[in-house]
Structures are given as C-alpha cells and as structure tokens.
Amino acid sequence: MLSVAGIRYPTDCGLVSTIGRNGALNEEDSQIQNGSGDNNMNQIQCFTRKVTTQLAAFSILALPLATTAQVAHADQITFVSQGGAYQEAQTKAILDPVAQSLGITINQESAPDAWPMIRTQGATGQPIWDVVDTPTFNCIRGGEQGLIEPLDFSRIPNAESMPDGYKTPYSVAYEFYSSVLAYNPETYGDHPPQTWKDFWDIDNFPGPRALRNNPLGTLEAALMADGVAPDELYPLDVDRAYEKLEEIKPYVATWWTSGGQSAQLLHDGEVDMIMMWNGRVSSIIDAGAQAAFTYNQGVLQSTHLCVIKDAPHLDTAMKFVNAAIAPDVQADLPKYIDYGPGNPAAFQTDRISKARAAELPSSPENAAKQALMAYEWWSSPEGVEAERRWLEFMQQ
C-alpha cells in the first residue's frame, strides 16, 4: 500500500481467479448462496484491495500537507464487496460519489465469499468490517445468528419507497441480476423458446440443454415449467419441483457450475438452450456469439447491503447504506456494468435511458416478467432441506 500525504492508494495481492457475471468476482461462481463452503477461507484470500476513496477536501491537490493522523481521524468505513469488474463499477458509480457527499473515507476490501469472515468476526467479537455487499442469503442468516445488525429503517429514508421484497430486517437491495432462459437464435429461428415450459418441451424445441448445478433458481424454473405463475412460487412445492426436474434430467447435456462455463457452452454451440445469468449472455452477444435471451420468467436475484454486528464505525455505516441506495447514485451503476439498480426509483431519474432500461433485469418492465427470489424462504428450514436434497437428486 502506497501512502502519500496520509492517503492510501491500492495495491493488489492474491487476486482470486474466480470470474463471475461480466468478469466480476461474485457469489454465484464462488457458490456462496448454497452455503456449500467449498471455497471456504481460501476465498478470503481476496486481493485485500484497500481502495481508499477520499473526499475531495482530503485530496493531495487540495491539502498537500495533510498528515496521516488527520486522515485517520476522518469518518470512515471498511466496505467489502466481491471484486473484479463489479467492484470497479461500484467504485466509479457509487463509492466515490458517496464518499465525497458524506465526507468520509471508504476503505475497500474484496471477498468473493464473505460468509466465513462474517462468522469469524462474530465468533471473535472483534469485527473489522463495517458494510458488506453480499448475497441476500448471507445477510439473512447472519442476522438470524446475531452476526449482522438489524437495520433501523427510520435512518434509511432512501429505502422507504422500495418494495418490501427488496428489503429484509437486516439488509436492503444493492443490485440485481437475473437467471434467464438463453438460446441459440440460429437453431430456433422465428419461434424461439420464451418460457420454461418451452425449455421442457423437447419435441417442439429439440436440442441439447444445460441447467445450473444448484437448486436456487433451478427449482423455481421447474415449477414455472409445470405451470406455477412467477408471483405464486413461494413457498416452493419442493416435491413437485424435483418431480418436474426428473422429467428433463435425461435431456440436460450439462449441469454447469460457473458463469464462465455457462457462457462457453452457449458461445461454442455445445447447447442450444440454457439457464444462465443475464450479464453472461450479454457479454457473449457483445463478443459476436449467436445468442439471445428473454427476461420472461427469469428469476430476479440480488445482492444486499448489510452491516456487521457491532461494526467499528456503526453510525457512519448506516449513513453509508442510506446514501448508497439513493436513486441518483444507483442510476449510475448501469453505466459501467450490466446490473440493475437495487432501488427501482433509479429508473425515475433522467440518468437511465429507455433503451438502457430495457436491457436491465430490475427495470420495472423486466422485473414484472420475472419471479423475485425469496431469500427468506431459502434461509428457512424448508429452504435448507430443499437445498440438501439437491445432492441426492444429482447423484441419482
């Protein structure tokens, strides 16, 4: 870490090679949501990217004689996200502007799987992080285990207009992505698959298929294929979902385990139809691949902001959460990456064009076509049991 006039500049160490949506280090590829723990503490060998975002008043030009002690006494937080292109996009769109507006220092770290460190900090009673951008699942189970602070929404007025499904007692939506039905348009011509029922229809839509090797999103797709409306999925009828998956299982050529693998399968023509993340499809389309997708019956998923229990800078952390979900700030995220704002009020600003909104998973028009993943159900005993059954299903 280079320090000039008390201001720290980032150096990278131990960058994890797990690449996710649009090249970002993220929860899907590190399989955080399913609680597998396969990557465990090794995932925390993030590049400990202490990006120090400074208020303009503390810049070298403004205060060339600023001392380390002066900066150290400024309000600050340690913010943790998932690295890669995603965290770089946040820095430009959200973190730098919020640091300036609040007059704080934001020290960034990156952890593709934050959950082991959240548990460790709770177990030791010595938290070092303040705010974490992590899969919603982690915020909920962390809150239930006393590792995450309950949010006082009276202090977060920017969340007031957000739908209830975008908030939990411990967290608030920060960004959205979708698990969508993608396909090769050359294969299906003027009659491409548009629903999960089509995905299951091997007679009218022949061709090799791929699904994610994970129950989250996949069980929802199975139920929609069986006629359940996207807004009537929860609580999931788990037996029915697994029965439906048994029907398609013989025709699934690949059960993919990473975003990179899913993109490669469609890009190389190994499959004609696949469930994958919208950012991954967009990336290969931009690269010239024969690929298309629909948001119809997509599964809208998110990461949330939550605050570590007894965070070192608790008051500033709460101020940051409110500022980070402000509509104008949120509206700038899609300028840098294909993720949708966590606060739908961002679409009411003049910062997102109609054309750009049509590409984003959380725009009002696209969100209305999809099922909003109920992370609170997945963290319930019923959800945990549904997840446990997945391994049995795959081994049969």
Side-chain angles (χ1 to χ4, degrees):
M1 180 66 65
L2 174 64
S3 178
V4 179
I7 299 175
R8 294 180 294 175
Y9 293 86
T11 57
D12 292 352
C13 64
L15 178 61
V16 180
S17 61
T18 307
I19 303 299
R21 303 161 297 168
N22 287 348
L25 290 162
N26 63 62
E27 54 92 3
E28 300 98 345
D29 283 343
S30 57
Q31 297 184 10
I32 298 171
Q33 278 189 328
N34 67 10
S36 65
D38 292 341
N39 299 296
N40 228 325
M41 292 299 291
N42 290 333
Q43 291 288 66
I44 303 306
Q45 293 175 3
C46 57
F47 57 119
T48 312
R49 189 171 177 261
K50 293 269 189 179
V51 181
T52 305
T53 308
Q54 295 291 349
L55 172 66
F58 286 102
S59 70
I60 297 176
L61 293 177
L63 285 178
L65 299 179
T67 65
T68 302
Q70 285 175 309
V71 175
H73 283 91
D75 285 341
Q76 62 180 297
I77 62 165
T78 296
F79 172 83
V80 182
S81 189
Q82 299 165 45
Y86 172 44
Q87 193 154 344
E88 291 174 7
Q90 291 179 65
T91 300
K92 296 173 184 176
I94 298 174
L95 303 181
D96 282 351
V98 167
Q100 185 166 4
S101 67
L102 294 181
I104 65 172
T105 298
I106 300 177
N107 302 302
Q108 293 187 50
E109 294 190 10
S110 301
D113 183 351
W115 179 243
M117 279 297 290
I118 291 173
R119 287 189 302 177
T120 298
Q121 292 179 50
T124 61
Q126 297 179 328
I128 57 175
W129 291 349
D130 294 296
V131 181
V132 185
D133 163 33
T134 190
T136 313
F137 186 85
N138 288 341
C139 297
I140 295 171
R141 62 178 174 175
E144 293 172 346
Q145 296 177 31
L147 306 175
I148 296 295
E149 288 280 347
L151 293 184
D152 178 358
F153 281 97
S154 69
R155 301 184 61 189
I156 310 175
N158 284 324
E160 185 175 353
S161 65
M162 295 173 67
D164 290 343
Y166 289 19
K167 298 175 281 191
T168 79
Y170 308 101
S171 61
V172 63
Y174 187 49
E175 59 86 23
F176 280 98
Y177 62 98
S178 293
S179 293
V180 297
L181 172 53
Y183 56 88
N184 185 334
E186 287 191 338
T187 301
Y188 301 108
D190 295 334
H191 298 91
Q194 293 293 297
T195 67
W196 293 111
K197 182 179 179 180
D198 293 342
F199 187 98
W200 259 252
D201 186 349
I202 59 172
D203 294 325
N204 291 312
F205 297 92
R209 290 146 159 78
L211 285 170
R212 186 186 178 197
N213 187 356
N214 191 295
L216 277 79
T218 312
L219 294 192
E220 284 88 342
L223 288 171
M224 285 187 279
D226 206 35
V228 181
D231 60 351
E232 297 178 357
L233 285 170
Y234 301 99
L236 297 186
D237 186 334
V238 177
D239 290 339
R240 181 177 175 182
Y242 276 109
E243 287 174 7
K244 193 65 178 177
L245 281 167
E246 290 288 356
E247 292 180 14
I248 198 66
K249 190 176 183 180
Y251 305 98
V252 175
T254 304
W255 297 86
W256 57 265
T257 57
S258 74
Q261 182 188 12
S262 69
Q264 201 71 48
L265 287 168
L266 189 57
H267 180 277
D268 293 351
E270 293 184 40
V271 298
D272 291 321
M273 206 183 307
I274 183 171
M275 167 186 271
M276 60 190 294
W277 300 310
N278 70 284
R280 283 294 187 175
V281 194
S282 296
S283 293
I284 64 172
I285 292 173
D286 291 344
Q290 290 297 319
F293 72 96
T294 178
Y295 278 118
N296 188 43
Q297 294 191 344
V299 181
L300 188 60
Q301 297 165 257
S302 62
T303 65
H304 276 212
L305 294 179
C306 49
V307 177
I308 299 293
K309 183 71 174 177
D310 298 323
H313 309 97
L314 184 58
D315 185 65
T316 305
M318 293 297 180
K319 293 177 182 177
F320 168 82
V321 171
N322 183 59
I325 61 169
D328 284 352
V329 172
Q330 286 268 304
D332 283 343
L333 184 62
K335 293 180 181 179
Y336 304 100
I337 202 161
D338 287 336
Y339 300 165
N343 188 342
F347 292 99
Q348 299 171 13
T349 69
D350 60 359
R351 295 172 181 259
I352 304 176
S353 69
K354 290 184 179 180
R356 183 58 171 147
E359 299 171 342
L360 300 174
S362 60
S363 70
E365 293 78 8
N366 288 331
K369 303 174 184 177
Q370 302 179 75
L372 178 64
M373 180 168 283
Y375 289 98
E376 290 181 285
W377 184 86
W378 277 105
S379 66
S380 71
E382 293 78 13
V384 172
E385 173 60 19
E387 191 175 354
R388 185 200 61 78
R389 283 181 60 177
W390 184 260
L391 182 60
E392 296 177 1
F393 166 75
M394 292 301 298
Q395 291 177 338
Q396 291 172 352

